[in-house]
Amino acid sequence: MEQKTFALKGNIIYTKERTRFEVMEQGWLVCEEGRVRDVYSVLPEELKGIPVEDMEDRLIIPGLTDLHIHAPQYTFRSLGMDMELLEWLETNTFPEESKYKDAEYAKKAYEMFAEQLKKSATVRACIFGTIHNEATLILMDLLEEAGLHTMVGKVNMDRNSPDYLCEPSAEASAQATREWLKAVADRKYKHTRPILTPRFTPSCTDELMELLKEIQTETHLPMQSHLSENPGEIAWVKELCPWSEFYGDAYDKFGLFGGDCPTVMAHCVYSGKEEMALMKEKGVFVAHCPESNTNLSSGVAPVRRYLEEGLHVGLGSDVAGGSTENLFTAMSQAIQASKLRWRLQDDSLKPLTAEEVFYMASKGGGAFFGKTGSFEPGYEFDAVIIDDSRLIHPQPLTVKQRLERVIYLGDEREVYGKYACGEKIL
Ligand code: GUN
Ligand code: FE
C-alpha cells in the first residue's frame, strides 16, 4: 500500500543505546512509506509542505513491544496470586484456559483483551493463545482488526496436563498445528503472524518437539516458550529430560533454540553460564517479566548480566503471572526488582536504569520484529503519543523527567494516539 510522507511534531524521546535517551524538544518525526525518514529539529526545505500533525506539548515515543503475554489469562489477572508457578498453573491457569474450547466464551474474553491491548502503549506483541484452534483464530482476527502487529501461537501440550487441557498425542497436536497454520494462511492477515508455541518442556513430549521441529523446518516460523522460570520447574525438566545438560538444552536438542528461526524465551530467571552462552550463540531473545517473577515468587532474573553479555533482552507483561498489560508497569517493576536483587542477592549487578528498561521495552524487544522500537532512519514508523497532563506537577519538567514519571505513573490514560508502520491505529 502506498503511504504518504508526513510528520508528527512534538517532544520526541527514544533510545538508540541502552545507556541514554535521545531527546528532541519540539522536533519533527518524519514518516516515509511506513518507515522513519529521520528526526529533525528544523524541517528541511524539501519536506516543507508535507502534512504535519502537531502533537503540541505531548511526548512522542516509539511503539512498545510486549515480548510475552498470555491472552486467555487476561480474565484472571490479579486473582489467586499466592502460589508458585506449578501449583498456580494447575489451580488457576489450566481450568481457565480450558474454557476457550467454547468459541463463544473465547470471543467474549478475547474482545476485552484486544480492546485493552489496543488502548495501551504496546504496538507489537508475542502472544500465547490456548491449545484450541478456533479460539486462537478468533484471537488473531481481533488483533488484526485492532491494527496491532503481533505473533500469536496456538499452544502445544501433550503431557503432564489435565485431561481437559491435554492434546491426545504428539501426532494430534502437530496435526492440529498444521490445520491452524493452513487456516491462518487462508486468512491473509496483514500484521498478525503465527508463532510456534510449545508451552514449556514439562507440557511437551520429545516426540511432539520433534514434530514441531519438522513443521519449523518446512515453514521457518519463529518460536516462543518458557525457560528457567522456577526452581521446581527446572528440577522437573531435569527429571523429564535426564540427558539434557541444562534446561535450554532440552529445547536445543530438538533444534528449537534459535539459530535460523527467531526464538523468544520468557523469564530466564535461573539461566546459568552455559545456558546464557548458548542463548547468545543462537540469538535467543530473553523476555524479562519482572511482575510475574514477583507474583509467582519465581525470583529476579540477572538482567544486567544478560545485557552486558550482549544477549537480546526485551520486556514481557506475562499476564496473568503479571497483573497488567501496561508495559510502563513492567519497566518500573524491572527497575525495582533489580534494586532488591542488588541489595539482597548480588551487589555485583547494579540496578537497572530508566534508560535501560525503556530500551528493553522499545528497541530491545522490538528487534524480535525487525527494525522496530526506535526512531533511527529506516525503522518501522511505530509511534505512541503520550499526553501526560494528568500527571500534574507544580514546576516545568524536562522531557526526560516527564518520561521517567510516565514509566512509574503512566497507563493507557496517557496514550493519546498510536501508529504502526505509519498507520494511525488509535
Ligand atoms: N510456564 C508454562 N506455562 C506458563 C504460564 O502460563 N505462565 C508462566 N508464567 N509460566 C508458564
Ligand atoms: Fe508466560
Side-chain angles (χ1 to χ4, degrees):
M1 190 178 46
E2 206 188 312
Q3 269 194 335
K4 60 181 188 332
T5 302
F6 70 95
L8 301 180
K9 182 163 184 276
N11 296 310
I12 299 161
I13 180 162
Y14 64 105
T15 47
K16 279 187 207 169
E17 302 152 25
R18 66 179 162 91
T19 48
R20 68 191 189 109
F21 287 118
E22 311 293 326
V23 182
M24 177 80 74
E25 261 181 75
Q26 286 304 309
W28 280 265
L29 172 65
V30 175
C31 175
E32 199 170 56
E33 289 174 14
R35 291 183 181 269
V36 175
R37 173 168 163 144
D38 213 342
V39 173
Y40 302 95
S41 57
V42 179
L43 205 57
E45 202 52 46
E46 74 269 22
L47 293 175
K48 296 260 163 75
I50 64 170
V52 177
E53 287 217 44
D54 191 352
M55 298 301 163
E56 301 175 344
D57 193 37
R58 299 182 183 94
L59 307 179
I60 304 175
I61 64 170
L64 304 181
T65 292
D66 190 337
L67 267 191
H68 185 75
I69 182 166
H70 297 260
Q73 298 178 17
Y74 198 68
T75 46
F76 71 97
R77 64 199 194 283
S78 83
L79 295 174
M81 299 265 61
D82 47 3
M83 287 167 242
E84 282 190 56
L85 174 67
L86 299 175
E87 190 191 0
W88 174 80
L89 287 173
E90 291 278 338
T91 312
N92 295 327
T93 312
F94 294 159
E96 177 60 25
E97 287 194 12
S98 73
K99 294 183 191 162
Y100 290 75
K101 185 172 190 295
D102 174 2
E104 219 168 292
Y105 183 78
K107 184 162 182 295
K108 211 159 145 187
Y110 282 155
E111 271 172 1
M112 294 175 189
F113 171 76
E115 191 183 323
Q116 287 306 117
L117 202 61
K118 182 176 173 145
K119 288 183 192 162
S120 76
T122 300
V123 171
R124 310 215 173 220
C126 292
I127 303 176
F128 278 56
T130 60
I131 59 171
H132 312 100
N133 283 13
E134 192 183 0
T136 305
L137 291 165
I138 290 169
L139 172 63
M140 295 175 86
D141 289 348
L142 289 164
L143 291 164
E144 176 79 4
E145 210 177 296
L148 298 161
H149 286 233
T150 59
M151 298 189 199
V152 182
K154 168 241 176 307
V155 173
N156 299 98
M157 354 180 12
D158 75 331
R159 71 170 169 188
N160 297 318
S161 309
D163 288 346
Y164 59 79
L165 195 70
C166 193
E167 297 176 289
S169 66
E171 196 48 63
S173 178
Q175 183 54 31
T177 304
R178 287 180 189 281
E179 285 164 14
W180 164 67
L181 289 172
K182 171 79 174 61
V184 169
D186 289 346
R187 279 164 151 79
K188 302 193 176 2
Y189 295 124
K190 283 201 213 128
H191 35 74
T192 310
R193 308 264 170 256
I195 180 167
L196 294 175
T197 307
R199 179 170 212 122
F200 65 158
T201 296
S203 301
C204 301
T205 58
D206 293 3
E207 194 191 352
L208 177 54
M209 293 295 200
E210 279 167 12
L211 292 171
L212 289 176
K213 184 62 202 179
E214 275 182 32
I215 293 175
Q216 193 178 48
T217 304
E218 292 162 26
T219 58
H220 305 287
L221 284 174
M223 185 194 118
Q224 59 182 352
S225 195
H226 295 92
L227 180 66
S228 299
E229 176 177 4
N230 167 288
E233 170 213 24
I234 295 165
W236 196 15
V237 170
K238 188 73 202 159
E239 257 174 56
L240 291 165
C241 307
W243 42 264
S244 62
E245 313 260 346
F246 47 90
Y247 192 163
D249 188 39
Y251 294 111
D252 187 51
K253 279 285 194 302
F254 301 102
L256 291 169
F257 205 62
D260 292 340
C261 298
T263 298
V264 56
M265 289 289 173
H267 307 300
C268 307
V269 175
Y270 298 99
S271 299
K273 263 204 169 80
E274 286 175 291
E275 190 159 279
M276 217 166 30
L278 193 62
M279 293 180 82
K280 183 171 180 184
E281 184 193 325
K282 304 274 188 159
V284 172
F285 278 66
V286 175
H288 174 46
C289 307
E291 199 205 341
S292 169
N293 295 158
T294 301
N295 289 337
L296 298 177
S297 310
S298 299
V300 186
V303 177
R304 173 163 308 290
R305 183 168 301 137
Y306 300 153
L307 290 170
E308 282 172 357
E309 284 291 323
L311 266 63
H312 292 289
V313 189
L315 291 184
S317 63
D318 193 30
V319 163
S323 64
T324 176
E325 74 288 358
N326 176 8
L327 284 176
F328 297 123
T329 301
M331 291 186 219
S332 53
Q333 295 231 348
I335 295 173
Q336 291 166 340
S338 72
K339 288 182 176 171
L340 291 178
R341 192 181 197 284
W342 171 76
R343 173 65 69 195
L344 299 172
Q345 191 177 338
D346 175 3
D347 68 6
S348 76
L349 295 180
K350 287 221 178 74
L352 298 171
T353 63
E355 287 85 344
E356 286 170 322
V357 296
F358 189 80
Y359 177 88
M360 289 192 274
S362 51
K363 189 174 173 177
F368 197 68
F369 288 79
K371 285 175 99 170
T372 82
S374 175
F375 292 146
E376 291 157 76
Y379 272 66
E380 310 260 19
F381 192 95
D382 295 355
V384 177
I385 316 304
I386 299 290
D387 186 330
D388 60 343
S389 52
R390 182 181 67 100
L391 310 177
I392 50 171
H393 196 280
Q395 284 184 324
L397 297 170
T398 64
V399 169
K400 180 183 162 203
Q401 286 174 323
R402 288 169 60 189
L403 181 61
E404 285 177 322
R405 277 165 47 90
V406 171
I407 287 173
Y408 281 87
L409 302 171
D411 60 32
E412 78 276 6
R413 286 172 290 183
E414 277 62 53
V415 178
Y416 176 82
K418 193 152 93 167
Y419 295 77
C421 290
E423 300 248 9
K424 186 163 170 55
I425 63 170
L426 185 72

